[in-house]
Amino acid sequence: MDTQTGWSGVRERVIAMVEAQYRARGWGPPQHPVLEPVLTAAEIAEVEAQYGVELPKEYRTFLAEVGAGGPGPEFELTSLRRVDGKWGWVWEDSDPIPLDPSEPFVETEEWADQQLATLRAAGCEPATRDEDDDYLDDYRKVFGAADRVWHEQRDRGAILISDSGCGMTSWLIIVGPHRGELRDRNVGTNPAYIPFVDVHGTRHNFHTWYLEWLERSEREALGSWDDGPGPQ
């Protein structure tokens, strides 16, 4: 798997792959652009200034060379857009999802310790840890029943980068020691964040993760096109 950050020809490959999928299904050409426009250097700098971070190089170059959203693992990437003067990540027609860069992303095995520290800083000595939700009940007592603080802390330092269907989501770490890596997560209350790895067990960055998906999708699209659209 190529570990460089260049995206030469990838935009064209994605468009060709999607068009092949449409042909295999007997559809006409896509009615909307397959990929969103690329972002300019000034726009990317504006995003980074808004959040006070530097985006991982693999993702920053994708935005500049391929697009700010479009097809990706496994359904579609969230789109980085400016809405009402602020940048955020949009899934379908949702409100923009911001990045909270105030603290590093906390790995799953360290999450319970982070909860303890937060609760104790708020003057609460937690009760017995729950098997499924860790200290969620204590969070509700201290911060309210809406679970907002609990969930905001859990996702801090990472962005929702794509939806894989059936409650599975993908996250790109922006802040912390694992910056640039991807995590797989079920949207259940207290899911594990599992690193995406390649066939050799090496953790993916955005470039290797996206290209692995694209190469697989191209093979599948080619196979579908060779088979023809089939009976209608």
Side-chain angles (χ1 to χ4, degrees):
M1 179 64 62
D2 183 4
T3 59
Q4 303 303 307
T5 57
W7 296 96
S8 177
V10 169
R11 183 177 176 89
E12 293 76 15
R13 287 171 60 189
V14 173
I15 293 171
M17 179 270 293
V18 171
E19 290 177 345
Q21 290 177 334
Y22 271 61
R23 290 195 300 271
R25 291 168 173 79
W27 301 343
Q31 298 301 302
H32 302 284
V34 173
L35 286 155
E36 296 204 16
V38 299
L39 299 186
T40 66
E43 288 172 324
I44 295 172
E46 190 177 310
V47 175
E48 295 179 326
Q50 176 182 319
Y51 289 109
V53 300
E54 181 178 321
L55 297 173
K57 183 177 181 181
E58 299 84 8
Y59 182 53
R60 191 187 328 118
T61 52
F62 179 88
L63 296 171
E65 299 178 35
V66 182
E74 289 296 329
F75 291 155
E76 194 160 312
L77 300 177
T78 51
S79 298
L80 180 53
R81 297 176 185 165
R82 187 198 290 114
V83 179
D84 296 330
K86 296 290 185 180
W87 290 93
W89 285 264
V90 177
W91 170 248
E92 294 183 337
D93 295 323
S94 69
D95 292 332
I97 304 167
L99 163 69
D100 181 352
S102 60
E103 293 182 20
F105 174 79
V106 177
E107 293 289 348
T108 293
E109 59 271 17
E110 301 163 0
W111 172 226
D113 291 339
Q114 175 66 53
Q115 293 174 86
L116 284 173
T118 298
L119 290 167
R120 286 169 177 161
C124 171
E125 184 58 37
T128 304
R129 180 181 177 186
D130 183 86
E131 181 178 351
D132 295 320
D133 301 328
D134 293 327
Y135 300 101
L136 179 56
D137 287 340
D138 291 291
Y139 265 71
R140 288 169 174 160
K141 292 174 186 176
V142 174
F143 300 110
D147 305 347
R148 178 181 60 83
V149 173
W150 195 92
H151 285 287
E152 287 179 352
Q153 273 202 326
R154 190 65 191 92
D155 300 335
R156 187 173 292 165
I159 58 172
L160 174 63
I161 197 64
S162 76
D163 190 296
S164 302
C166 298
M168 302 304 296
T169 53
S170 302
W171 296 75
L172 175 62
I173 300 174
I174 304 296
V175 182
H178 296 285
R179 176 177 174 274
E181 295 181 1
L182 284 296
R183 295 291 182 270
D184 186 27
R185 176 197 180 196
N186 188 301
V187 295
T189 303
N190 189 31
Y193 284 71
I194 302 170
F196 281 99
V197 297
D198 63 18
V199 294
H200 305 292
T202 302
R203 292 186 178 187
H204 277 303
N205 60 37
F206 186 85
H207 189 257
T208 59
W209 175 74
Y210 194 84
L211 287 188
E212 182 180 85
W213 164 80
L214 177 57
E215 290 164 6
R216 183 176 70 249
S217 298
E218 287 173 326
R219 291 193 298 270
E220 292 170 353
L222 180 61
S224 297
W225 177 238
D226 288 344
D227 292 341
Q232 303 295 311

